[in-house]
């Protein structure tokens, strides 16, 4: 019974792992073939030594069989040496190519058969012994990686051939078989069969052992991957939860600080913002607690009986302002005006609010969200069908089955533009099933998503008038979203431009955070605003601000993409960027710095720290400007790795090449560099502290100074050579810049 078990595959290899297991068998076989080839080569060399002794003893002349020995030994040396060298030197290439592996393995089958089996046959004819055949059958089974079926075929062929030689020896070789006692042939047959069977069983155990080790390794690998995935899931879950907590906490703590500083200005607006974001925090906490209660079976259903259609309409209408802020059309389309049934208002509000907030959040500007309710005939009981359909970017098909999983997030989803907690949809499914309903989702990328729910229409309660308070519904529903300021109203935030103030671009999709940033920075900076990454990049290229403060998680391109894009653009590469985000983990910070961020600050942030960081960046910019103040060598440097030096050198070269052209001005320089007037002005102003016109004049005066020091030309000639039409104007500006007249420089040069 044990023998039969050894002969069969006790562990089946899953179909998806078969090719990998076969490859592992082949690699093991290749490694064993290298060992066998070198050992066999050494042994066959020793056999030649034995042949030499036999030659000296005259056995070759007396017995013809020793010539056969010699031929087999020579063939073995050549075959095994060639195999040993080839497999050893080309092992990596052999392993890398499945076809190459197969050719080498089957070639070794032939070599073992020709050399070792032939040697065993000659040994049998000389001594009637199967010792070398036994070595052959065990070595071949050890070296060759075969399945059970292949091994049985190989061993059966080998055994059949040796049995044929025992039972019907070759006539011309029979004379070499020494006389044996009666029954020796039968004993030899039993030996051939027995040792072949033992080799089969022994190496079947080896095969099963290797298979078990392979499967155990795969199981451990799968468990390790599951463990790593669980750790990533937990890390992502905690990061998402903390991110959701940090945003409202930023508003609450920031506005509390502003209220303490200036209660007269921020009392009404600040208190409203604090209350709204405190409600958001409470909703998030309540959802987490609801999930915990649902899991523990501690949530009961509080049913009322009434017309559910107007209630669903009230809930939908409470999201109108949220949808309007994003320029999204929100409609409620009931199939009929009255559907009386037993339902739980609180659970219905929670379900529909979660679905609506997600639909509006993930639908781009100008999209549409439709809520519909209808009665459907069912088997013995009518059903209420509620649909929430949006025209958003959709959910990838491979994630649809998991979106109701608790805390699940579509990791690295290119279609996801905002971050969430992974709680809402899980809670929706749990609450739906608690009320004996079902939920189904259909989605197509770039076409939209539709959630469909069915609830049984029951009349188990007495019909009592149910009073709804739209204000309370609106208050509860508003905690599921942050009311956004429409983009056309965002200009109301903008502070009037002051030329002397540094220009700061704020990129943030949460307009409450924009309000907070405005309140703490408007006294020191000329502020500009953008509500997503794409708009931020466009404004940065158009206006070239002095500094940028950007969120990370936002619609369009996120903060990392904003950093990478702007730092690689010659127009904006010099702009310092501070990432201000709720993603406070070390990995996110390192990722932000790798993408080119100059600073990385976590929400909620300390307002004084932010001001200090901005002042430090301005100080660093002024240090950079001083490099170009009077040193023309820095202006003309071309070998610097700094893109800023390269840009200044490029502008410098364009001016120097047209130095004698008095008509060469800002317009001509813009054409030479390929930037707009505003871009060139702001870029040069940030790098050198000079406007484009002053920068051109600065280079002309520096070159004029060099010419005056040589002393070959008078002041008027120098003025004309460096592009001044009026020598008097040249003298005046030269004196203003250097503090002494051109004639004094010329006299010193002489």
């Amino acid at each position: 019974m044990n023998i039969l078990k050894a002969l069969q595959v006790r562990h089946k290899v899953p179909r998806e792992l078969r090719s990998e297991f076969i490859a592992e068998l082949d690699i093991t076989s290749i490694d064993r073939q290298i060992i066998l080839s070198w050992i066999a080569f050494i042994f066959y060399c020793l056999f030649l030594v034995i042949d030499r002794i036999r030659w000296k003893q005259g056995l070759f002349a007396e017995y013809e069989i020793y010539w056969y020995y010699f031929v087999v030994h020579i063939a073995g040396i050549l075959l095994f040496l060639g195999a040993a060298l080839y497999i050893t030197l080309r092992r990596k290439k052999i392993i890398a190519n499945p076809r190459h592996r197969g050719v080498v393995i089957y070639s070794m089958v032939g070599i073992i058969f020709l050399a070792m089996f032939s040697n065993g046959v000659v040994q049998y004819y000389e001594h009637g012994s199967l010792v070398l055949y036994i070595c052959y059958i065990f070595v071949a089974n050890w070296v060759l990686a075969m399945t059970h079926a292949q091994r049985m075929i190989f061993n059966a062929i080998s055994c059949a051939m040796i049995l044929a030689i025992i039972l019907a020896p070759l006539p011309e070789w029979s004379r070499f078989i020494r006389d044996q006692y009666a029954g020796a042939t039968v004993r030899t047959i039993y030996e051939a069969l027995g040792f072949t069977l033992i080799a089969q069983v022994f190496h079947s155990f080896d095969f099963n052992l290797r298979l078990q080790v392979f499967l155990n390794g795969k199981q451990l690998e799968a468990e390790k991957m599951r463990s790593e995935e669980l750790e990533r899931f937990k890390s992502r879950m905690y990061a998402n939860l903390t991110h959701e907590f940090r945003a409202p906490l930023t508003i609450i703590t920031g506005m509390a600080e502003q209220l303490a500083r200036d209660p007269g200005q921020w009392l009404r607006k600040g208190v409203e913002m604090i209350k709204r974001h405190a409600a958001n925090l409470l909703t998030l906490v309540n959802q987490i607690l609801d999930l915990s209660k649902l899991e523990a079976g501690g949530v009961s259903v509080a049913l009322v009986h009434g017309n559910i259609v107007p209630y669903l309409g009230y809930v939908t209408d409470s999201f109108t302002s949220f949808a309007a802020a994003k320029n999204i059309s929100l409609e409620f389309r009931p199939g009929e005006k009255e559907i009386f049934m037993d339902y739980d208002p609180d659970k219905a509000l929670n379900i529909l609010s979660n679905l609506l907030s997600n639909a509006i959040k993930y639908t781009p500007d100008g999209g549409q969200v439709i809520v519909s309710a209808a009665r459907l005939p069912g088997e013995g009981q009518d059903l209420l069908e509620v649909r929430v359909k949006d025209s958003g970017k959709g959910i990838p098909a491979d994630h649809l089955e998991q979106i109701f999983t608790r805390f699940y997030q579509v990791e690295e989803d290119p279609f996801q533009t905002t971050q969430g907690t992974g709680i809402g949809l899980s809670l929706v499914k749990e609450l739906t099933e608690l009320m004996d309903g079902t939920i189904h989702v259909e989605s197509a990328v770039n076409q939209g998503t539709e959630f469909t729910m069915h609830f049984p229409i029951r009349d188990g309660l007495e019909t009592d008038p149910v009073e709804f308070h739209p204000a309370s519904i609106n208050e509860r529903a508003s905690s599921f979203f942050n009311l956004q300021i429409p983009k056309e109203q965002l200009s109301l935030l903008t502070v009037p431009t002051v030329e002397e103030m540094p220009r700061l671009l704020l990129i943030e999709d949460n307009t409450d955070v924009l309000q907070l940033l405005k309140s703490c920075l408007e006294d020191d900076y000329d502020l500009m605003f953008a509500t997503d990454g794409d708009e931020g990049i466009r404004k940065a290229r158009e206006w070239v601000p002095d500094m940028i403060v950007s969120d990370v998680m936002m619609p369009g391109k996120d903060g990392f993409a904003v950093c990478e894009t702007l730092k690689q653009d010659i127009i904006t590469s010099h702009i310092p960027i501070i990432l201000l985000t709720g993603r406070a983990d070390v990995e996110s910070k390192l990722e932000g710095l790798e993408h080119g961020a100059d600073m990385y600050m976590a929400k909620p942030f300390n307002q004084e720290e932010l001001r200090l960081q901005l002042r430090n960046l301005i100080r660093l910019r002024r240090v950079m400007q001083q490099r170009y103040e009077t040193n023309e060598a820095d202006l003309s440097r071309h070998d610097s790795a700094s893109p800023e030096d390269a840009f200044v050198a490029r502008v410098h070269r364009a001016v120097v090449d047209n130095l004698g052209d008095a008509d060469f001005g800002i317009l001509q320089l813009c054409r030479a560099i390929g930037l707009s007037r505003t871009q060139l002005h702001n870029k040069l102003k940030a790098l050198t502290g000079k406007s484009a016109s002053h920068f051109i004049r600065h280079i002309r005066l520096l070159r004029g100074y060099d010419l005056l020091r040589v002393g070959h030309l008078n002041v008027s000639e120098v003025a004309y050579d460096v592009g001044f039409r009026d020598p008097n104007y040249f003298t005046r500006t030269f004196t203003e810049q250097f503090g002494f007249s051109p004639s004094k420089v010329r006299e010193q040069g002489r």
Side-chain angles (χ1 to χ4, degrees):
M1 189 68 179
N2 292 332
I3 294 177
L4 292 177
K5 287 184 178 180
L7 295 175
Q8 64 184 359
V9 179
R10 287 175 290 168
H11 306 282
K12 290 186 178 181
V13 183
R15 185 180 298 274
E16 64 273 11
L17 296 178
R18 286 180 186 174
S19 59
E20 186 176 349
F21 177 62
I22 291 172
E24 189 170 302
L25 284 180
D26 289 348
I27 293 170
T28 304
S29 182
I30 293 294
D31 292 336
R32 290 181 177 183
Q33 285 174 16
I34 293 174
I35 298 172
L36 170 68
S37 299
W38 286 112
I39 293 177
F41 167 71
I42 294 171
F43 268 98
Y44 274 85
C45 290
L46 294 176
F47 290 158
L48 277 185
V49 175
I50 298 173
D51 289 340
R52 186 173 181 273
I53 296 172
R54 288 170 177 169
W55 174 269
K56 288 184 176 181
Q57 292 175 349
L59 295 177
F60 274 73
E62 185 177 353
Y63 299 103
E64 184 182 352
I65 195 169
Y66 292 111
W67 286 101
Y68 294 117
Y69 265 128
F70 178 71
V71 172
V72 170
H73 294 163
I74 291 294
I77 288 174
L78 297 176
L79 291 173
F80 282 112
L81 177 61
L85 289 172
Y86 183 79
I87 300 175
T88 302
L89 296 176
R90 300 181 65 85
R91 179 182 177 277
K92 290 184 178 180
K93 291 186 177 180
I94 293 171
I95 290 175
N97 191 320
R99 290 187 178 181
H100 203 171
R101 288 200 311 263
V103 170
V104 170
I105 291 172
Y106 283 106
S107 297
M108 184 57 72
V109 173
I111 293 173
I112 293 175
F113 192 83
L114 288 173
M116 296 188 67
F117 186 81
S118 299
N119 209 41
V121 170
V122 176
Q123 173 76 9
Y124 171 73
Y125 275 108
E126 181 192 7
H127 297 290
S129 171
L130 293 180
V131 172
L132 290 184
Y133 170 76
I134 293 169
C135 291
Y136 154 79
I137 202 70
F138 274 90
V139 169
N141 277 275
W142 178 77
V143 170
L144 302 174
M146 295 179 283
T147 64
H148 287 291
Q150 292 171 337
R151 194 179 306 279
M152 290 182 68
I153 294 171
F154 177 83
N155 289 336
I157 293 174
S158 300
C159 187
M161 294 189 68
I162 200 69
L163 289 176
I165 291 171
I166 295 171
L167 294 172
L170 297 173
E172 63 273 17
W173 283 47
S174 299
R175 66 181 182 277
F176 297 117
I177 303 177
R178 298 181 179 181
D179 295 335
Q180 300 179 13
Y181 60 87
T185 301
V186 176
R187 184 203 65 186
T188 306
I189 292 173
Y190 284 147
E191 286 178 353
L193 289 172
F195 281 107
T196 302
L197 183 60
I198 291 172
Q200 173 74 29
V201 172
F202 179 79
H203 292 292
S204 293
F205 277 118
D206 176 62
F207 179 88
N208 283 334
L209 179 62
R210 290 161 67 182
L211 176 56
Q212 182 63 53
V213 170
F214 173 79
L215 294 177
N216 288 343
K218 285 299 171 185
Q219 184 176 358
L220 289 174
E221 186 178 325
E223 290 177 358
K224 181 181 178 182
M225 291 179 62
R226 282 196 296 270
S227 177
E228 290 175 352
E229 177 60 30
L230 178 61
E231 289 301 317
R232 287 196 298 269
F233 167 78
K234 289 165 62 177
S235 176
R236 190 167 66 249
M237 178 192 73
Y238 292 135
N240 292 341
L241 284 174
T242 55
H243 181 271
E244 290 297 306
F245 278 112
R246 285 178 182 275
L249 285 173
T250 299
I251 302 299
I252 293 171
T253 57
M255 274 301 155
E257 186 175 341
Q258 291 301 106
L259 284 171
R261 274 181 27 182
D262 189 357
Q265 179 181 357
W266 292 102
L267 182 60
R268 184 184 62 81
K269 187 178 294 185
V271 169
E272 288 179 358
M273 292 170 64
I274 289 174
K275 288 177 62 179
R276 185 165 67 251
H277 287 277
N280 291 341
L281 278 177
L282 181 61
T283 298
L284 181 59
V285 172
N286 287 338
Q287 286 188 334
I288 296 174
L289 292 176
D290 287 344
L291 275 177
S292 178
K293 290 179 182 178
L294 283 166
E295 189 175 43
V299 176
S300 59
V301 179
L303 296 175
V304 300
H305 187 86
N307 184 7
I308 196 173
V309 174
Y311 183 77
L312 297 177
Y314 290 146
V315 176
T316 303
D317 289 343
S318 65
F319 283 81
T320 301
S321 58
F322 183 29
K326 293 191 63 178
N327 192 27
I328 293 173
S329 170
L330 175 61
E331 297 182 46
F332 177 61
R333 298 177 181 177
E336 47 192 287
K337 295 182 179 180
E338 295 182 347
I339 300 178
F340 285 90
M341 61 180 291
D342 298 340
Y343 67 97
D344 186 327
D346 185 69
K347 308 295 187 299
L349 171 62
N350 210 329
I351 291 171
L352 190 54
S353 295
N354 268 296
L355 293 178
L356 279 172
S357 63
N358 278 345
I360 297 172
K361 188 188 302 182
Y362 295 111
T363 298
D365 290 3
Q368 185 179 45
V369 176
I370 299 174
V371 179
S372 62
R375 182 194 297 267
L376 295 180
E379 296 181 1
Q381 191 174 45
D382 288 350
L383 299 174
L384 169 69
E385 180 183 75
V386 179
R387 293 177 180 266
V388 178
K389 182 178 181 180
D390 64 64
S391 60
K393 295 183 178 180
I395 304 169
D398 54 334
H399 294 284
L400 278 177
E401 294 182 0
Q402 303 182 65
I403 62 171
F404 294 113
T405 303
R406 190 169 305 182
F407 302 114
Y408 178 77
Q409 286 285 294
V410 181
E411 189 176 11
E412 298 180 358
D413 176 15
F415 303 103
Q416 185 171 332
T417 58
T418 57
Q419 193 74 0
T421 60
I423 294 175
L425 290 180
S426 176
L427 184 61
V428 165
K429 186 174 188 297
E430 297 276 358
L431 292 176
T432 300
E433 292 177 350
L434 182 67
M435 296 191 293
D436 298 328
T438 60
I439 185 168
H440 173 71
V441 59
E442 294 181 354
S443 185
V445 174
N446 294 325
Q447 295 184 25
T449 303
E450 182 175 27
F451 288 88
T452 303
M453 294 164 288
H454 294 102
F455 299 94
I457 297 178
R458 294 170 179 162
D459 298 320
L461 301 175
E462 295 182 1
T463 304
D464 292 324
V466 180
E467 295 184 4
F468 302 114
H469 301 284
S472 62
I473 295 175
N474 185 69
E475 182 179 353
R476 280 285 311 279
S478 64
S479 65
F480 285 86
F481 58 85
N482 291 321
L483 186 60
Q484 301 291 302
I485 298 176
K487 286 188 177 182
E488 58 270 14
Q489 298 181 21
L490 192 61
S491 58
L492 299 177
L493 293 175
T494 304
V495 180
T497 300
V498 180
E499 184 65 28
E500 293 76 16
M501 296 172 65
R503 178 170 291 179
L504 175 62
L505 172 61
L506 302 176
I507 308 175
E508 169 66 61
D509 63 320
N510 188 317
T511 50
D512 281 344
V513 176
L514 281 180
Q515 290 271 17
L516 176 62
L517 290 171
K518 171 182 177 293
S519 68
C520 66
L521 298 174
E522 61 184 345
D523 293 337
D524 302 313
Y525 299 94
D526 175 18
L527 300 179
M528 304 170 60
F529 303 95
T531 56
D532 58 59
D534 293 317
E535 183 185 6
I537 292 172
R538 179 179 59 79
K539 286 191 173 182
R541 284 172 171 165
E542 181 179 356
W543 296 103
V544 195
D546 296 298
M547 287 173 294
I548 295 174
V549 175
S550 175
D551 188 19
V552 172
M553 299 303 301
M554 54 187 171
K557 292 187 176 180
D558 63 14
F560 297 148
V562 169
C563 275
E564 186 172 10
T565 302
L566 295 181
K567 290 296 184 179
Q568 292 178 355
D569 193 321
I570 187 61
I571 301 173
T572 56
S573 60
H574 67 285
I575 303 175
I577 300 176
I578 295 179
L579 290 180
L580 193 64
T581 175
R583 293 177 59 173
D585 55 289
V586 176
E587 291 79 7
S588 297
K589 182 175 182 179
L590 293 176
E591 186 178 358
L593 296 175
E594 286 176 357
H595 282 83
D598 296 88
M599 298 287 177
Y600 194 99
M601 296 181 63
K603 296 176 182 177
F605 60 91
N606 182 285
Q607 296 183 23
E608 188 56 39
E609 180 186 1
L610 177 60
R611 295 190 193 98
L612 182 60
Q613 295 285 20
L614 289 170
R615 285 198 296 269
N616 287 338
L617 290 175
I618 292 175
R619 191 177 298 114
L620 289 174
R621 189 188 68 179
R622 288 173 180 166
V623 171
M624 179 178 62
Q625 291 173 355
Q626 290 174 1
R627 292 178 54 229
Y628 304 113
E629 186 65 31
T630 58
N631 192 347
E632 189 173 6
D634 282 337
L635 293 178
S636 58
R637 183 186 303 172
H638 288 274
D639 57 348
S640 173
S642 167
E644 283 68 51
D645 281 351
F647 176 80
V648 174
R650 183 182 171 194
V651 176
H652 175 270
R653 175 54 53 195
V655 176
V656 170
D657 290 344
N658 297 274
L659 201 61
D661 184 1
D663 294 325
F664 186 83
I666 298 176
L667 181 60
Q668 290 74 20
L669 182 59
C670 289
R671 290 173 180 173
I673 302 301
L675 299 181
S676 70
R677 188 186 186 97
T678 301
Q679 291 171 339
L680 179 63
H681 171 82
N682 291 337
K683 177 90 175 178
L684 279 176
K685 187 75 173 177
L687 293 177
T688 67
K690 296 178 175 62
S691 65
S693 59
H694 287 172
F695 185 80
I696 295 172
R697 189 179 68 185
H698 176 65
I699 296 175
R700 294 183 189 276
L701 292 175
L702 284 176
R703 183 53 57 92
Y705 180 87
D706 292 338
L707 292 175
L708 288 169
R709 287 183 61 189
V710 175
H712 297 311
L713 302 175
N714 59 37
V715 174
S716 297
E717 290 173 331
V718 169
Y720 293 133
D721 279 356
V722 296
F724 282 86
R725 288 192 175 91
D726 184 358
N728 293 328
Y729 179 66
F730 170 76
T731 300
R732 187 169 62 255
T733 55
F734 188 95
T735 304
E736 290 175 359
Q737 177 159 325
F738 296 107
F740 42 80
S741 66
S743 58
K744 187 174 181 180
V745 176
R746 187 170 183 274
E747 291 173 0
Q748 291 176 349
R750 289 181 175 181

